[in-house]
Amino acid sequence: MRLLERMRKEWFMMGIVLAIAGAKLEPSVGVNGGPLKPEITVSYIAVATIFFNSGLSLKTEELTSALVHIKLHLFIQIFTLAFFPATIWLFLQLLSITPINEWLLKGLQTVGCMPPPVSSAVILTKAVGGNEGIVITPLLLLLFLGSSSSVPFTSIFSQLFMTVVVPLIIGQIVRRYIKDWLERKKPPFGAISSSVLLMIIYTTFCDTFSNPNIDLDKFSLILVLVIIFSIQLSFMLLTFIFSTRDNSGFTPADTVAIIFCSTHKSLTLGIPMLKIVFAGHERLSLISVPLLIYHPVQILLGSVLVPTIKSWMVSRQKGVKLTRPTV
């Protein structure tokens, strides 16, 4: 199962490259008003499809049982939605005096505001054997992004509600009636969401490549890549230090969940969210680039670090068992 999931992620990353290349070759197909009509098919239908799909696949019963780990979830929420974006904002104040493309820097700020994915963070946590799960509301994310958008807050809120919240709720309601069938057939929810997401990415870059005034220098792109690697490694180390202090109260399994869930960011939620918040913005694709880079980097770093983290967790758990007094 893990092998299939890894292969799906590799194909998806290849799909991102092909989607951007396709947009470069023929941008007229996916621009607003073009044959694909992305102002309708993407802004409403595609985004709603992703979240209806999420509603169908979301196992609410497992989420309910996970709520007993209140301290763990509170730590992840605060780190992800407060510490992470605030730290990125402070860091960007320094980077603003550099020649790095300003729209890529804005994209880095949006990365900081994203919640963790319900996929890669959970899968990597499972691969090690730790605790899993965190669900972050889209409205909390909007609190960080709304002020940066040219779209009125009321318009953002209404579209978020209709294309994110409503499909998610409908998906959950439908799941109640076909739960047994879903468990038996196991539909390819991940593949469906990935395919729709590739369409969103394709149309986003069609708008960019059809605009001759937009240019992305390689120097800025390389620096952003280095910055993203540094941010992820630094924050993974930071969460490890925070969660392993003597008075933290977290188990080794909790630490694993914290490392992955606090530092990973959701592309599946992020790209549709940016499409709504920055609707019609000519620099949307540049703002999206850091998140498109962050996604494969987090999978790569996570995969590389899983054996080391697993070895640490097993040794710590053995140490705890050995120090327990016998009755």
Side-chain angles (χ1 to χ4, degrees), residues 197-266:
L197 193 57
L198 288 175
M199 178 185 173
I200 297 175
I201 293 170
Y202 168 72
T203 57
T204 299
F205 278 86
C206 281
D207 285 334
T208 295
F209 293 128
S210 64
N211 188 340
N213 298 322
I214 295 179
D215 184 36
L216 177 61
D217 60 289
K218 294 179 181 178
F219 173 74
S220 292
L221 199 58
I222 292 171
L223 279 182
V224 167
L225 179 61
V226 173
I227 290 168
I228 286 173
F229 262 102
S230 303
I231 288 172
Q232 286 203 45
L233 283 173
S234 299
F235 280 2
M236 290 179 86
L237 178 61
L238 202 57
T239 53
F240 177 80
I241 293 171
F242 282 161
S243 60
T244 53
R245 291 177 302 169
D246 291 337
N247 60 346
S248 70
F250 293 121
T251 66
D254 290 337
T255 295
V256 172
I258 287 170
I259 290 173
F260 289 128
C261 292
S262 296
T263 59
H264 281 209
K265 296 295 182 176
S266 174

Side-chain angles (χ1 to χ4, degrees), residues 46-209:
V47 175
T49 299
I50 285 178
F51 290 101
F52 173 74
N53 190 51
S54 296
L56 277 178
S57 61
L58 203 59
K59 298 181 179 180
T60 316
E61 60 275 12
E62 292 185 3
L63 295 176
T64 304
S65 64
L67 289 177
V68 295
H69 301 287
I70 294 175
K71 185 178 179 180
L72 171 65
H73 295 316
L74 187 61
F75 181 95
I76 295 173
Q77 292 275 10
I78 293 172
F79 190 94
T80 305
L81 293 176
F83 181 84
F84 201 127
T87 304
I88 294 296
W89 182 84
L90 289 172
F91 184 46
L92 290 181
Q93 304 314 300
L94 297 175
L95 292 179
S96 63
I97 62 175
T98 68
I100 300 176
N101 186 291
E102 65 170 309
W103 298 103
L104 290 181
L105 294 182
K106 289 181 183 295
L108 279 174
Q109 183 62 69
T110 64
V111 169
C113 295
M114 295 297 162
V118 185
S119 53
S120 62
V122 171
I123 289 162
L124 288 167
T125 302
K126 276 184 175 179
V128 176
N131 296 330
E132 66 177 67
I134 191 69
V135 174
I136 300 180
T137 61
L139 291 179
L140 288 177
L141 174 62
L142 187 59
L143 290 176
F144 291 102
L145 295 180
S147 60
S148 302
S149 172
S150 58
V151 181
F153 182 84
T154 52
S155 176
I156 293 172
F157 179 82
S158 60
Q159 190 172 349
L160 265 177
F161 184 76
M162 294 305 298
T163 59
V164 176
V165 180
V166 171
L168 196 64
I169 293 173
I170 293 174
Q172 279 285 280
I173 293 172
V174 173
R175 177 180 173 80
R176 290 181 60 185
Y177 293 98
I178 61 171
K179 180 182 173 182
D180 292 338
W181 182 85
L182 291 173
E183 294 295 332
R184 190 169 62 252
K185 295 295 184 180
K186 299 187 184 304
F189 293 117
I192 294 170
S193 291
S194 295
S195 300
V196 177
L197 193 57
L198 288 175
M199 178 185 173
I200 297 175
I201 293 170
Y202 168 72
T203 57
T204 299
F205 278 86
C206 281
D207 285 334
T208 295
F209 293 128

Side-chain angles (χ1 to χ4, degrees), residues 243-315:
S243 60
T244 53
R245 291 177 302 169
D246 291 337
N247 60 346
S248 70
F250 293 121
T251 66
D254 290 337
T255 295
V256 172
I258 287 170
I259 290 173
F260 289 128
C261 292
S262 296
T263 59
H264 281 209
K265 296 295 182 176
S266 174
L267 184 67
T268 304
L269 176 60
I271 292 296
M273 197 69 64
L274 291 179
K275 195 77 175 177
I276 294 171
V277 174
F278 294 96
H281 202 297
E282 64 175 5
R283 308 282 178 172
L284 173 59
S285 60
L286 295 186
I287 296 172
S288 305
V289 165
L291 184 58
L292 292 172
I293 295 174
Y294 199 98
H295 180 74
V297 169
Q298 70 187 11
I299 294 172
L300 175 63
L301 284 178
S303 300
V304 169
L305 292 174
V306 158
T308 303
I309 295 175
K310 184 173 185 177
S311 176
W312 169 84
M313 192 186 76
V314 170
S315 64

